[in-house]
Amino acid sequence: MKLILVGATGLVGQHVLQLALKDERIESVVAPVRIGLSVHPKLIAPIVNFDELPQDATWWQADAVICTLGTTMKKAQSQSAFRHVDYDYPLYVARLAKQHATPTYVLNSAIGADANSRIFYNQVKGELEQSLAEVGFKSLTYARPGLISGDRREVRMGELALTQVLKLIGPVLPHRGRLNPAAQIARALLESAIHAKPGINVITSDQLI
C-alpha cells in the first residue's frame, strides 16, 4: 500500500516512518516535510510549506494518511498559532487527501480530546476530531494517548519530571494513567492505517501501553 505520513520529523512520526519503511506491506511512503529527510528507496519526501500545500500533487492519492502533526504552546507562543498547527494543518491535509480519493485517515490525537472542554488543548483536539468526521473518510481512526514517553530532541522540564514520576509509580496506576511509549503509539497508528476498519474508530490510552 501507499502511505502518506504527515509529521514525520516529530517524536511519534519518526517511529511511524521507521516502521513503515521496514514493513513489507508498505510499498511507498510520502512524507511532506519542511526540512529534508534521509534518502530511502521507499520514501518520497517533498519539501513543502504547510500554509501553501500543493493541491494538485499526485502523491495525495494514496491508501491512507497518518497524521502526527502537533506543536506545544511554548513553541507556538499563542493560542491562535497553536490552533493553526494542531487544527488547521491536519484538517487541510485531510481535505486534500480526500479530494484525491484517499479513503483512510489516522490521527494521533490526545486523551481528553473534547470540543466542549474548558482546557484549550483538549478543546482543539476535540474540534479537530469533529471536523475530520465531516470530511467523509471510509475509515477514520483517532489514537488518544496520554503522556508520551520517548527520546525527544527538545527537553521539556515539566514533562520530563512527570515522566520520571510516572515511570516509578506506573505499575500501580490504572492503565489509563500510565505512560504511552511513542513506539507503541506508532505501531497502533500504522496498523490502523493498514487494516482500515470502516467508520470512526478510537484507540484509547490504555491500549497504547
Side-chain angles (χ1 to χ4, degrees):
M1 67 179 291
K2 179 181 176 182
L3 176 70
I4 299 172
L5 172 60
V6 185
T9 60
L11 175 59
V12 174
Q14 290 180 66
H15 283 281
V16 175
L17 182 60
Q18 292 170 9
L19 289 172
L21 293 178
K22 293 176 182 177
D23 197 312
E24 294 181 353
R25 296 169 294 179
I26 306 296
E27 179 183 350
S28 63
V29 179
V30 177
V33 288
R34 292 191 181 93
I35 58 175
L37 294 173
S38 300
V39 176
H40 188 283
K42 287 172 59 172
L43 177 64
I44 302 168
I47 304 297
V48 301
N49 177 347
F50 279 91
D51 288 312
E52 299 177 359
L53 287 169
Q55 297 188 23
D56 297 323
T58 57
W59 45 258
W60 285 117
Q61 187 173 4
D63 295 294
V65 176
I66 294 178
C67 181
T68 62
L69 276 175
T71 187
T72 62
M73 283 299 297
K74 182 178 180 180
K75 278 187 176 181
Q77 298 186 332
S78 71
Q79 288 189 344
S80 61
F82 176 89
R83 182 181 176 84
H84 192 47
V85 175
D86 277 56
Y87 177 88
D88 293 339
Y89 288 170
L91 184 57
Y92 191 23
V93 165
R95 288 171 174 167
L96 287 173
K98 184 63 171 60
Q99 286 172 18
H100 288 78
T102 296
T104 299
Y105 192 98
V106 181
L107 174 71
N108 187 39
S109 185
I111 191 173
D114 181 354
N116 297 314
S117 175
R118 294 183 179 181
I119 300 172
F120 177 72
Y121 179 88
N122 292 347
Q123 182 186 98
V124 171
K125 296 296 186 182
E127 289 176 354
L128 175 59
E129 290 188 3
Q130 284 188 350
S131 295
L132 289 174
E134 297 172 357
V135 175
F137 288 103
K138 292 181 180 178
S139 176
L140 176 60
T141 299
Y142 310 132
R144 294 176 179 165
L147 187 61
I148 301 172
S149 62
D151 295 327
R152 298 184 184 273
R153 293 177 180 176
E154 59 176 320
V155 177
R156 305 175 186 175
M157 296 309 297
E159 192 172 282
L160 179 61
L162 180 56
T163 298
Q164 295 303 319
V165 171
L166 289 178
K167 283 182 178 179
L168 290 173
I169 66 174
V172 300
L173 288 174
H175 285 183
R176 190 173 185 273
R178 298 183 188 181
L179 288 171
N180 293 144
Q184 182 64 19
I185 299 167
R187 279 190 287 272
L189 295 172
L190 185 59
E191 291 302 319
S192 295
I194 292 171
H195 294 293
K197 294 180 182 178
I200 297 175
N201 310 282
V202 177
I203 304 172
T204 58
S205 61
D206 59 342
Q207 296 174 282
L208 298 168
I209 298 172

